[in-house]
């Protein structure tokens, strides 16, 4: 019961007795959906931050053809929106291959 109390009060901010005895199924579903959306927003923000850090690291290392962080790679929720964008890599593997080609051209290696 202590774990449930901690989860209800700490994570979702609801009294456990209300949660167990009085809450309707619709309320429970609404709370779960809201919590999932909040978690998804946090995850997206974290990936955006990671990509931005990678972008600036690449600029410092000499990648001159990058104009914005999306030029490195698209995130899963962006691929659906940008399906016609042929310039942006679709996966991390494509981004790595593109970087390898840029590096080879920069140093004129074959």
């Amino acid at each position: 019961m202590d774990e449930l109390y901690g989860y209800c009060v700490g994570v979702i901010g609801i009294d456990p007795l209300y949660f167990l005895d009085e809450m309707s199924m619709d309320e429970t579903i609404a709370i779960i959906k809201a919590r999932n959306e909040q978690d998804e927003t946090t995850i997206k923000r974290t990936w955006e931050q990671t990509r931005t850090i990678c972008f600036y690291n690449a600029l410092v290392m000499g990648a001159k053809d990058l104009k914005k962080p999306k030029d490195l790679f698209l995130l899963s929720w962006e691929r659906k929106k940008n399906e016609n964008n042929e310039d942006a890599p679709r996966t991390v593997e494509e981004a790595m291959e593109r970087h390898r080609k840029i590096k080879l051209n920069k140093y004129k290696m074959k």
Side-chain angles (χ1 to χ4, degrees), residues 73-109:
F73 56 89
L74 293 176
L75 300 171
S76 62
W77 55 89
E78 295 171 335
R79 277 190 227 131
K80 296 173 189 170
K81 296 176 188 172
N82 296 322
E83 298 224 0
N84 295 329
N85 187 356
E86 296 299 325
D87 294 332
R90 302 261 186 247
T91 65
V92 173
E93 290 80 17
E94 289 177 12
M96 292 174 68
E97 179 64 24
R98 182 176 177 187
H99 174 71
R100 187 183 71 73
K101 288 179 182 177
I102 292 169
K103 188 175 178 182
L104 290 176
N105 289 337
K106 180 179 176 183
Y107 297 109
K108 302 199 186 322
M109 295 179 170

